[in-house]
Amino acid sequence: MALSGMRGLSVFISDIRNCQNKEQERLRVDKELGNIRTKFKNDKGLSPYEKKKYVWKMLYIYMLGYDVDFGHSDAVSLISAPKYPEKQVGYIVTSCILNENHDFLRMVINTVRNDIIGRNETFQCLALTMVGNIGGREFAESLAPDVQRLLISSSCRPLVRKKAALCLLRLYRKNPDVVNIEGWSDRMAQLLDERDFGVLTSVMSLFVSLVSNNNEAYWNCLPKCVKILERLTRNQDIPQDYTYYGIPSPWLQVKTMRALQYFPAIEDPNTRRSLFEVLQRILMGTEVVKNVNKNNASHAVLFEALALVMHLDAEKEMMSQCVALLGKFIAVREPNIRYLGLENMSRMLLVADVQDIIKRHQVQIVTSLKDPDISIRRRALDLLYGMCDISNAKDIVEELLQYLSTADFAMREEVALKAAILAEKFAPDLSWYVDVILQLIDKAGDFVSDDIWYRVVQFVTNNEDLQPYAAAKARDYLNKPALHETMVKVSAYLLGEYSHLLIRRPGCSPKEIFSIINDKLPTVSTSTVPILLSTFAKILMHCQPADPGLQDQIWAIFKKYGSFIDAEIQQRAVEYFALSKKGAALVDVLAEMPKFPERQSALIKRAEDTVTDTAEQSAIKIRSQQQQTSNALVLTDQLPPSNGTAHSGPGQLALVKIPSQSMDAASPDRGETPSDGPIINQTTSPEPPSADLLGDLLGPLAIEGPPAPAVASGEQIRAPETGPSPSPVDALALALLSDQTSTGVQPIVSINERFQALCLKDSGVLYEDPNIQIGVKAEWRGHHGRLVLFLGNKNTAAINSVKALIMPPAHLKMELSLMPETIPPRAQVQSPLVVMNLYASRDVGALDFSYRFETSLVNVRLRLPAVLNKFLQPVQMTPEEFFPQWKALAGPPLKLQEVVRGVKPMTPPEMANLFIILRFAVAQGIDMNPNNLVATTSFYSERTHAVASLVRVETDPADRTQLRLTVASGDPSLTFELKELIKEHMIGLPVVAPPPSSPSPPPLPQHAFVAADDPGAILAGLL
């Protein structure tokens, strides 16, 4: 920017630099913007010099980060100026301030076209630069033919042709139809004969983009690319301006080899021989030197050559040479070079017959696990995981177990998972596998998922010879004073099933086994107590006839937990106590668990870190995706193994292989495009919707788990009748949606219905369109919640530019884990979301989600099902506990009452099921009127912790469209929010089937006379 002769602009910039703080700068900018606005209103008196000066000031203010919402037409009008200074300002400011969709750009298309086809080369360069920066469909359709003519013109200077090639590349990326493939094949071959290296480098960028979309049309260009590489590697006629630290045009070499990777195997023997000679010269001539810049350039060329060698399936000798070269790199001190060496050695694993050569460097790779740089440690871990087989599995797994003790917390979960996978895949015998997994749980219990110990249980159960060994190892681990809870779970399960096989060993009598497990009982959480209770029942079963002392101890525990607040623990304790009194019949009831059916391991998966360029994808990854079937993890909602319960097997991650070919099965959830869906924006219309290939991934059988048992028809909650009356869903879930228009891609499910369903259950599909499916699986504990978002790619091409932004309401803290920017074809990624509730509110958070598929950019904003009732926990109360609290909460605002009209008619069992779904406990024996209902729950938040909430509903059998609702709690805001929540669900929100629960007792007959001490009479008096 030349400031000579523009004193006002120089003074303004000086004033800005001299500002002491941001406030002074803002005041000076506002003053200048007001002055510019005034001048532009009287533009009849402005000279071209003054207009140019004010437009420069606008650009400077815009570069400082301030909004400039006026003067755009004045800036655009300078493009039509006849003189260079004004035209330069117009082009520069327009390309910086305006985007491709701005309406003012239509005003200058003709002017820009006249400059492109004109004879003034300076004006041509300005116009090409602006079009290349802004792009846009309208520019592509109007100007592409003129830009193509400039590129192939022999009369234009290289400077103009170079800019024309880059401009055409931008237009092609925005609108691929602008280049006629049939006509451009011969032209591109001629352009690759260009002698000017500036033009050739720009043309090669365009060629890479063209050949990545259609390589078959450009076969005649392949020999030209090989000749370019020969010319560069032999350093023939390379101008000094294009030699970088003695390396001939490294950028052109990299682009040329990248283009060659998009072609299949080269069949012409002469061309193949010439190319291998070039690659051999590159491999032999690359060395690590002290100059960092030269290292960067030479290594960029080298690693692209390695990728090309892998693509061409070169001879084993050249592959060995590549591995040896990479082995040198992973041993140098420079961390960047070590990282690149490990990463490219991991890529070499895709090539057959190379793994044995890579194993020679196993010691150096293990050493890289202790590198101070975590990125190098991750690459070393990935490489060890990929190179492991039956011959070196023991060594690698032992190294991982040793490294686990000192590994960063950020890596421990990944190390534990990969060690478990390798132990399972390459175990020489099952006893070694059991040893490894138990060591894994002992050293990193917090980072070992339940699926790992579920798998051990499956192996032990299905192999009788392994059962005594596994039980003995579990007994040994229980002797440790400090033991992780996961180890307590697996040890208790194994000893409960197979401790009778150790009865002749010292220290393994039923009393001693019971004693050592009972010592752990006070230290475990409520999720582990059911397993220990099952273990005690199994121990009692195995020692029939029972030892009186042992039996009394176990019965005392069952009695203690028979009144526990947790329903699962309470039910088990009561049932086991009743069963244990059956004596010898207990052996038949609590028999050993049957063998699990054979199934594919839940742990065996392949972690794919895909990094995608905005313009080009790595040819290596495209090739590997074509050769291998994508693996996608599916979470099945199965319960962990519990003694005494009949189920098919421990809950696990089921591995599903999604075939690459298309499927014709339609999704059962697919319907018409909903009118109430989220607002979607896209730039181009997509392909027709494909079949629902992720039905198994995110459908009800996958994420939602097995269907609940059917409820009697009289107890089911009927869905509300649809009618013209407005749904109160907006009152329940308020999420701000942007003012975008829906064009092209539409969701193929009803977004509101999905959201409402997820408000009442914890897993299901949140959003689905022809390209992607988003599922949710949630866990809630107190005022904390954890949602896992499952993003499934339904297409055979990758989804790029994936972005997710969480917009939480004021009462929730939400933190979303890092989401990968690319979803591989027909694969699924997971992103956990942690939620913490601060106080009571019915507002909901929103997920602003966007992605790019091919040329389509889709943006959607979804409501997240982190709603008020998720932070409720049902609490059963007796009349003695209920009435004192109800009486203490007297009057508003702690107790609110309202007559609700327009209620969806429901029978008392249906209403009870509704409250159960909303996480209330329906209290029995408090209100004796069978038409009334009393429910209790606890609300959890960080501000108030647990707050008891009481609800009474009074209905009239003659008119069930109205009722009287009374809500009471110790928090006024919670009372109001709960009352409104219950109203919304009673007036018309759809309700899903409730979870299995014990059947409600039959309604009691209504008596004419009520005793004075009757609880119903007391409650009526309190009201």
Side-chain angles (χ1 to χ4, degrees), residues 514-784:
F514 166 77
S515 176
I516 196 170
I517 296 177
N518 190 34
D519 291 341
K520 309 295 181 183
L521 183 59
T523 64
V524 299
S525 63
T526 55
S527 62
T528 307
V529 172
I531 298 178
L532 300 190
L533 294 180
S534 301
T535 300
F536 296 154
K538 290 277 186 173
I539 292 174
L540 198 59
M541 179 267 294
H542 286 307
C543 65
Q544 291 294 329
D547 179 87
L550 176 61
Q551 180 174 272
D552 292 341
Q553 287 180 289
I554 294 177
W555 280 2
I557 294 175
F558 289 161
K559 289 178 182 179
K560 174 185 175 182
Y561 285 99
S563 58
F564 198 73
I565 189 171
D566 187 273
E568 169 73 11
I569 297 175
Q570 181 186 108
Q571 182 178 358
R572 284 187 188 234
V574 172
E575 291 178 354
Y576 288 152
F577 181 70
L579 290 172
S580 61
K581 292 186 176 181
K582 293 185 178 295
L586 186 64
V587 178
D588 297 328
V589 177
L590 295 180
E592 280 190 15
M593 291 291 293
K595 291 186 177 182
F596 295 105
E598 293 297 329
R599 65 185 69 186
Q600 192 170 14
S601 170
L603 300 177
I604 299 176
K605 68 174 181 177
R606 188 172 178 181
E608 295 178 347
D609 296 327
T610 54
V611 180
T612 307
D613 233 316
T614 54
E616 335 165 317
Q617 293 181 345
S618 169
I620 290 293
K621 290 173 184 172
I622 288 179
R623 183 165 168 260
S624 64
Q625 289 166 4
Q626 291 172 349
Q627 292 177 348
Q628 299 180 3
T629 304
S630 297
N631 292 339
L633 286 177
V634 182
L635 282 172
T636 57
D637 193 12
Q638 298 175 354
L639 297 175
S642 305
N643 301 11
T645 57
H647 56 80
S648 60
Q652 66 164 359
L653 290 173
L655 189 68
V656 174
K657 285 189 177 291
I658 303 179
S660 58
Q661 63 268 23
S662 62
M663 299 172 65
D664 297 329
S667 169
D669 294 330
R670 180 164 301 175
E672 296 180 356
T673 302
S675 59
D676 56 355
I679 296 176
I680 298 176
N681 180 28
Q682 80 156 35
T683 56
T684 62
S685 40
E687 298 178 0
S690 61
D692 184 9
L693 297 179
L694 295 184
D696 291 335
L697 291 180
L698 298 174
L701 294 181
I703 287 184
E704 299 171 17
V711 185
S713 59
E715 297 183 3
Q716 290 182 349
I717 299 178
R718 295 186 295 270
E721 298 178 359
T722 57
S725 60
S727 171
V729 74
D730 294 331
L732 173 68
L734 302 176
L736 297 176
L737 297 178
S738 56
D739 295 332
Q740 300 169 337
T741 56
S742 177
T743 58
V745 167
Q746 292 290 337
I748 59 178
V749 295
S750 174
I751 305 303
N752 275 338
E753 290 181 5
R754 292 292 185 179
F755 171 75
Q756 293 160 15
L758 287 172
C759 289
L760 301 175
K761 60 181 182 178
D762 292 335
S763 60
V765 176
L766 179 65
Y767 171 79
E768 184 177 4
D769 64 27
N771 302 325
I772 198 169
Q773 190 178 53
I774 303 176
V776 175
K777 186 177 180 67
E779 295 178 357
W780 307 95
R781 185 171 301 172
H783 65 284
H784 292 279

Side-chain angles (χ1 to χ4, degrees), residues 413 416-421 424 433 436-438 440-441 447-459 486 490 602-603 651-652:
E413 184 174 1
L417 181 60
K418 290 186 174 179
I421 293 172
E424 180 179 339
Y433 169 71
V436 169
I437 300 302
L438 293 181
L440 205 60
I441 297 173
F447 304 93
V448 175
S449 64
D450 287 343
D451 307 286
I452 293 178
W453 76 270
Y454 292 168
R455 192 63 175 167
V456 175
V457 168
Q458 291 179 26
F459 276 115
T486 304
V490 65
L603 300 177
Q652 66 164 359

Side-chain angles (χ1 to χ4, degrees), residues 45-83:
L46 284 180
S47 63
Y49 163 77
E50 290 176 323
K51 182 179 288 189
K52 177 181 66 174
K53 179 180 66 174
Y54 292 132
V55 171
W56 276 130
K57 287 183 179 181
M58 283 173 47
L59 178 60
Y60 183 68
I61 293 171
Y62 178 79
M63 292 169 63
L64 290 176
Y66 295 93
D67 290 333
V68 179
D69 55 358
F70 69 94
H72 298 166
S73 60
D74 299 276
V76 170
S77 64
L78 288 175
I79 295 178
S80 305
K83 296 183 179 179

Side-chain angles (χ1 to χ4, degrees), residues 915-926:
F915 275 90
I916 291 172
I917 293 170
L918 291 176
R919 298 177 183 251
F920 284 82
V922 178
Q924 305 294 338
I926 293 180

